[in-house]
Amino acid sequence: MKTTYEKFLFLLLFFPLSLMARNILKGTVTDKVSGLPLPGVSVTIQGGTSQTSTDFDGNFTLTDVNKGDVVNFSFIGF
């Protein structure tokens, strides 16, 4: 009984830590020439399922990014 209780307590204490250990990439996409932010840029991980787009100020947040992942930016503008 004691070992079952200890296992349960261990899982209960360390489960929230595993939820917090998410890799998040945050950034701002700007124009190279003018330095102005670019809204509506599609940001994806190559070969992955995580994707997002930039907001009005060019900011984005991408979750579940691993070290070595290739991040693609695409924008169709006039």
Side-chain angles (χ1 to χ4, degrees):
M1 179 72 179
K2 187 175 180 180
T3 57
T4 305
Y5 176 73
E6 289 173 356
K7 289 179 184 178
F8 177 73
L9 184 61
F10 177 78
L11 290 175
L12 185 65
L13 290 175
F14 289 105
F15 182 71
L17 293 177
S18 67
L19 292 177
M20 292 176 18
R22 298 179 65 175
N23 297 327
I24 298 174
L25 176 66
K26 293 182 180 184
T28 303
V29 179
T30 58
D31 181 45
K32 186 176 181 178
V33 176
S34 66
L36 295 173
L38 294 174
V41 175
S42 176
V43 184
T44 60
I45 296 176
Q46 185 175 350
T49 58
S50 293
Q51 62 183 6
T52 189
S53 61
T54 58
D55 62 6
F56 184 73
D57 296 322
N59 301 317
F60 70 92
T61 302
L62 198 59
T63 58
D64 298 330
V65 179
N66 297 319
K67 186 176 182 178
D69 283 348
V70 176
V71 180
N72 294 325
F73 300 90
S74 61
F75 179 71
I76 299 175
F78 293 96

